[in-house]
Coordinates of all heavy atoms in Angstrom, one line a residue:
M1 N 146.2 110.7 140.6 CA 145.4 111.7 140.0 C 145.1 112.7 141.1 O 144.7 112.4 142.2 CB 144.1 111.1 139.4 CG 143.2 112.2 138.8 SD 141.7 111.4 138.1 CE 142.4 110.4 136.8
L92 N 130.3 121.0 133.3 CA 131.4 120.2 133.8 C 132.2 119.7 132.6 O 131.8 119.6 131.5 CB 130.9 118.9 134.5 CG 130.0 119.2 135.8 CD1 129.6 117.9 136.4 CD2 130.8 120.0 136.9
D93 N 133.5 119.4 132.9 CA 134.4 118.8 132.0 C 134.1 117.3 131.9 O 134.6 116.5 132.7 CB 135.9 119.0 132.4 CG 136.9 118.5 131.4 OD1 136.6 117.6 130.7 OD2 138.0 119.0 131.4
V94 N 133.3 116.9 130.9 CA 132.8 115.5 130.9 C 133.9 114.5 130.6 O 134.0 113.4 131.1 CB 131.7 115.4 129.9 CG1 131.2 114.0 129.6 CG2 130.5 116.3 130.3
K95 N 134.8 114.9 129.7 CA 135.9 113.9 129.3 C 136.8 113.6 130.5 O 137.1 112.5 130.8 CB 136.7 114.5 128.2 CG 137.7 113.5 127.6 CD 138.3 114.0 126.3 CE 139.2 113.0 125.7 NZ 139.8 113.4 124.4
R96 N 137.1 114.6 131.3 CA 138.0 114.4 132.4 C 137.3 113.7 133.5 O 137.9 112.8 134.1 CB 138.6 115.8 132.9 CG 139.5 115.7 134.1 CD 140.1 117.0 134.5 NE 139.0 117.9 135.0 CZ 138.5 117.9 136.2 NH1 138.9 117.1 137.1 NH2 137.6 118.8 136.5
R97 N 136.1 114.0 133.8 CA 135.4 113.4 134.9 C 134.8 112.1 134.6 O 134.7 111.2 135.5 CB 134.3 114.4 135.4 CG 134.8 115.6 136.2 CD 133.6 116.4 136.7 NE 134.1 117.5 137.5 CZ 134.1 117.4 138.9 NH1 133.8 116.3 139.5 NH2 134.5 118.4 139.6
F98 N 134.3 111.9 133.4 CA 133.5 110.7 133.2 C 134.0 109.8 132.0 O 133.6 108.7 131.9 CB 132.0 111.1 132.9 CG 131.4 111.9 134.0 CD1 131.3 113.3 133.9 CD2 130.9 111.3 135.1 CE1 130.8 114.1 134.9 CE2 130.4 112.1 136.2 CZ 130.3 113.5 136.0
G99 N 134.7 110.4 131.1 CA 135.2 109.7 130.0 C 134.3 109.5 128.8 O 134.8 109.5 127.6
D100 N 133.0 109.4 129.0 CA 132.1 109.3 127.9 C 130.7 109.8 128.3 O 130.4 110.0 129.5 CB 131.9 107.9 127.4 CG 131.4 106.9 128.4 OD1 130.2 107.1 128.8 OD2 132.1 106.0 128.8
V101 N 129.9 110.1 127.4 CA 128.6 110.8 127.6 C 127.6 109.9 128.4 O 126.9 110.3 129.2 CB 127.9 111.2 126.3 CG1 126.6 111.8 126.5 CG2 128.8 112.2 125.5
R102 N 127.6 108.6 128.1 CA 126.7 107.7 128.7 C 127.0 107.6 130.2 O 126.0 107.7 131.0 CB 126.8 106.3 128.1 CG 125.8 105.3 128.7 CD 126.0 103.9 128.0 NE 125.8 103.9 126.6 CZ 124.6 103.8 126.0 NH1 123.5 103.7 126.7 NH2 124.6 103.9 124.7
R103 N 128.2 107.6 130.6 CA 128.5 107.6 132.1 C 128.1 108.9 132.7 O 127.7 108.9 133.9 CB 130.0 107.3 132.3 CG 130.5 105.9 132.1 CD 131.9 105.8 132.4 NE 132.2 106.1 133.8 CZ 133.4 106.4 134.3 NH1 134.4 106.5 133.5 NH2 133.5 106.7 135.6
F104 N 128.3 110.0 132.0 CA 127.9 111.3 132.5 C 126.4 111.3 132.7 O 125.9 111.8 133.8 CB 128.3 112.3 131.5 CG 127.8 113.7 131.8 CD1 128.0 114.3 133.0 CD2 127.1 114.4 130.8 CE1 127.5 115.6 133.2 CE2 126.7 115.7 131.0 CZ 126.9 116.3 132.2
V105 N 125.6 110.9 131.8 CA 124.1 111.0 131.9 C 123.7 110.1 133.1 O 122.8 110.5 133.9 CB 123.4 110.6 130.6 CG1 121.9 110.4 130.8 CG2 123.7 111.6 129.5
A107 N 125.4 109.3 135.7 CA 125.8 110.0 136.9 C 124.8 111.1 137.3 O 124.5 111.3 138.5 CB 127.2 110.6 136.8
L154 N 127.0 118.8 124.7 CA 128.4 118.9 124.9 C 129.1 119.7 123.8 O 128.8 119.5 122.6 CB 129.0 117.5 124.9 CG 129.2 116.9 126.3 CD1 127.9 116.7 127.0 CD2 129.9 115.5 126.2
W157 N 133.7 118.9 124.8 CA 133.6 118.0 126.0 C 133.2 118.7 127.3 O 133.2 118.1 128.3 CB 134.9 117.3 126.2 CG 135.1 116.1 125.3 CD1 135.9 116.0 124.2 CD2 134.5 114.8 125.5 NE1 135.8 114.8 123.6 CE2 134.9 114.0 124.4 CE3 133.6 114.3 126.4 CZ2 134.5 112.7 124.2 CZ3 133.2 113.0 126.2 CH2 133.6 112.2 125.1

Side-chain angles (χ1 to χ4, degrees):
M1 182 181 295
L92 297 178
D93 184 334
V94 172
K95 187 171 186 179
R96 179 175 63 84
R97 283 183 175 268
F98 305 98
D100 64 65
V101 178
R102 186 180 298 274
R103 286 185 60 200
F104 172 53
V105 170
L154 265 62
W157 280 102

